[in-house]
Amino acid sequence: MDDTELLAALIGHAQFRDDYAGGGVLPEGTRHVLAEVDHSRPLRAHQQEKAVQILREWMDPLWDVPTELEAYLRREVFDRLAAADDIYHLSELGDEAIHDWGRVHDYFPEFVLIDRSAGQITLVVAADD
């Protein structure tokens, strides 16, 4: 499969429609921060260094990251970023897609990591809740 097919499969998967608000997967739901069912939301290819910078900017200015969380993020996010063959940054949805609860999150970077050697596709959603 090429990247376009992998991304379409990810976006089309029922679990992609999790609303991240405690409701779990809603197969008929429309609130998922990424769920543009018509696949019109653009993805931008990113280099690993740029993705790390975006995630560090999300983490660092707000608080000192506890050692245990830093180790977890290194293992589960940053090591996967380093191993990824392709990294896609999902673009902003804009004001037309504000969550029905309002602006619950102001900034939440989202990435899709494709690691062909491991046979993995990883969705990273960095939220401040």
Side-chain angles (χ1 to χ4, degrees), residues 17 25-32 35 37:
R17 300 187 62 89
V25 176
L26 304 170
E28 302 304 318
T30 58
R31 294 190 329 183
H32 185 292
V37 179

Side-chain angles (χ1 to χ4, degrees), residues 30-55:
T30 58
R31 294 190 329 183
H32 185 292
V33 294
L34 304 175
E36 285 293 307
V37 179
D38 64 3
H39 303 243
S40 64
R41 186 172 180 197
L43 297 137
R44 298 182 305 264
H46 270 67
Q47 294 178 333
Q48 190 255 353
E49 297 84 15
K50 180 63 176 174
V52 167
Q53 176 188 353
I54 290 168
L55 288 169

Side-chain angles (χ1 to χ4, degrees), residues 1-12 86 88 112-116 120-121:
M1 276 189 167
D2 68 15
D3 287 3
T4 302
E5 294 169 311
L6 289 172
L7 294 168
L10 171 71
I11 292 168
D86 296 297
Y88 291 90
V112 177
L113 315 176
I114 299 172
D115 183 343
R116 294 194 180 281
Q120 292 181 331
I121 184 169

Side-chain angles (χ1 to χ4, degrees), residues 15-16 18 21 25 30 32 41 44 50 59 62 64 72 81 89-91 102 107-109 112 114 121:
Q15 287 185 332
F16 190 77
D18 189 321
V25 176
T30 58
H32 185 292
R41 186 172 180 197
R44 298 182 305 264
K50 180 63 176 174
M59 287 172 44
L62 301 177
D64 291 326
Y72 176 83
L81 273 168
H89 184 204
L90 286 86
S91 66
Y107 179 59
F108 47 96
V112 177
I114 299 172
I121 184 169

Side-chain angles (χ1 to χ4, degrees), residues 39-128:
H39 303 243
S40 64
R41 186 172 180 197
L43 297 137
R44 298 182 305 264
H46 270 67
Q47 294 178 333
Q48 190 255 353
E49 297 84 15
K50 180 63 176 174
V52 167
Q53 176 188 353
I54 290 168
L55 288 169
R56 288 284 176 197
E57 287 172 0
W58 168 79
M59 287 172 44
D60 292 340
L62 301 177
W63 47 289
D64 291 326
V65 179
T67 304
E68 185 176 307
L69 178 57
E70 178 72 33
Y72 176 83
L73 291 171
R74 184 176 48 256
R75 181 180 66 250
E76 296 298 326
V77 177
F78 293 106
D79 287 353
R80 290 179 192 225
L81 273 168
D85 298 301
D86 296 297
I87 300 169
Y88 291 90
H89 184 204
L90 286 86
S91 66
E92 299 296 324
L93 284 172
D95 288 339
E96 69 277 0
I98 294 173
H99 193 286
D100 58 350
W101 296 352
R103 291 198 180 276
V104 177
H105 303 289
D106 288 329
Y107 179 59
F108 47 96
E110 303 165 272
F111 293 92
V112 177
L113 315 176
I114 299 172
D115 183 343
R116 294 194 180 281
S117 64
Q120 292 181 331
I121 184 169
T122 302
L123 175 65
V124 175
V125 180
D128 59 5

